[in-house]
Amino acid sequence: MVQEKHYRHELKYAVPYAEYLAMRGRLRKIMSVDPHTSADGLYQIRSIYFDNGDDKALREKVDGIAKREKFRIRYYNDDFSFIMLEKKMKINNLCLKYDARITEKECRDILDGNLDWMKTHPQELVRELYAKMRYQRLRPRVLVSYVREPYIYKAGNVRVTFDSAIRTSLYNQDFLTKTVSDISATDTPQDMILEVKYDAFLPEIIQDLVQVPSIRQQAFSKYGACRRFG
């Protein structure tokens, strides 16, 4: 049975490093470290984002279009044995994500433009990307890399993450390589991007931990930041 998907709330904040240290200390007393992290409580994410020649996804973000979608391929800690194709849909501060696991060979074929096999793939999301690569002219545009520190809280299905070291490379050939030539995508790489995701409600105890007077909610896009160079 296909699991029904629901939109989740997603809030983002830019957090100075000193405030991050204080907030992390408070969160660790209440929330659990995501069990998928390594011993240091972190993991690295690399993603290739897709867009067309008119920069549809980028322009919709910059123009503040309320309802939009992005496709990306993602893997963790340079492990090529677990690669996910994802479609993220947003309506204002609500987000919905569909994903499908693909093989390393399938990923390389997509990046190389070898697409015919996709139209009969058993995963519906792969077939959808094929159609949009054909008719919307989506193609790989930029590599986005960052380090994530995630925490979870069962009530409300809350997930709080700190993302740092956001880096970019315009050369998608660097994807699926152990050595990536990239540069910082932000002017203050020491700062953190705080993301808070939850279902129907955000427990008051978590609200108190993340609503700090010195930080403000903002519409930060890693893809947008990494496209600043082209």
Side-chain angles (χ1 to χ4, degrees):
M1 179 180 296
V2 177
Q3 184 177 7
E4 185 178 0
K5 298 279 189 175
H6 299 278
Y7 277 92
R8 282 166 52 82
H9 296 267
E10 181 181 84
L11 309 176
K12 296 185 180 183
Y13 307 84
V15 181
Y17 189 77
E19 187 60 62
Y20 149 73
L21 292 175
M23 188 180 297
R24 180 184 65 176
R26 298 192 297 269
L27 287 173
R28 284 181 170 179
K29 297 176 182 178
I30 303 297
M31 305 186 73
S32 302
V33 175
D34 189 315
H36 296 99
T37 60
S38 54
D40 59 4
L42 308 173
Y43 53 74
Q44 183 185 64
I45 298 175
R46 296 197 196 276
S47 303
I48 277 284
Y49 282 82
F50 290 75
D51 211 335
N52 64 14
D54 295 325
D55 292 326
K56 177 179 180 291
L58 180 61
R59 291 183 181 277
E60 287 180 347
K61 173 62 181 176
V62 172
D63 294 341
I65 303 300
K67 187 175 182 179
R68 56 190 187 273
E69 68 177 27
K70 290 195 297 283
F71 282 86
R72 66 193 179 199
I73 295 176
R74 170 169 290 187
Y75 66 87
Y76 303 85
N77 294 330
D78 291 331
D79 179 6
F80 303 156
S81 68
F82 187 85
I83 302 174
M84 299 297 293
L85 168 64
E86 299 180 347
K87 179 177 78 167
K88 186 173 182 181
M89 305 169 63
K90 293 203 70 175
I91 302 178
N92 295 318
N93 287 331
L94 297 175
C95 65
L96 177 64
K97 186 173 71 174
Y98 291 94
D99 54 40
R101 188 169 176 179
I102 60 175
T103 67
E104 179 180 347
K105 181 182 184 305
E106 289 172 338
C107 179
R108 294 187 184 279
D109 281 342
I110 292 173
L111 298 181
D112 290 340
N114 302 322
L115 310 179
D116 286 346
W117 58 273
M118 298 173 66
K119 58 187 174 184
T120 57
H121 197 278
Q123 293 279 6
E124 181 179 353
L125 189 59
V126 175
R127 300 196 302 270
E128 180 181 352
L129 178 60
Y130 169 78
K132 291 180 176 178
M133 291 184 76
R134 289 298 193 194
Y135 303 115
Q136 293 185 6
R137 301 299 182 186
L138 290 184
R139 59 185 178 90
R141 290 303 303 266
V142 70
L143 172 64
V144 177
S145 303
Y146 55 95
V147 175
R148 170 159 285 180
E149 180 179 343
Y151 297 90
I152 55 178
Y153 190 77
K154 185 174 181 180
N157 190 21
V158 180
R159 184 175 177 83
V160 174
T161 59
F162 294 100
D163 294 339
S164 60
I166 302 171
R167 300 181 65 81
T168 180
S169 169
L170 296 180
Y171 304 100
N172 63 66
Q173 291 85 355
D174 283 342
F175 201 52
L176 298 183
T177 63
K178 296 293 185 181
T179 302
V180 175
S181 300
D182 55 14
I183 59 175
S184 176
T186 62
D187 295 327
T188 53
Q190 72 276 12
D191 288 350
M192 298 283 179
I193 301 300
L194 166 67
E195 295 189 4
V196 182
K197 299 177 183 177
Y198 57 98
D199 288 344
F201 71 99
L202 182 62
E204 185 174 352
I205 190 171
I206 305 300
Q207 291 185 50
D208 292 341
L209 291 174
V210 301
Q211 291 183 354
V212 179
S214 61
I215 66 174
R216 294 183 299 173
Q217 183 184 345
Q218 61 178 238
F220 181 85
S221 166
K222 298 183 189 71
Y223 173 64
C226 291
R227 284 295 310 276
R228 64 188 292 199
F229 302 110

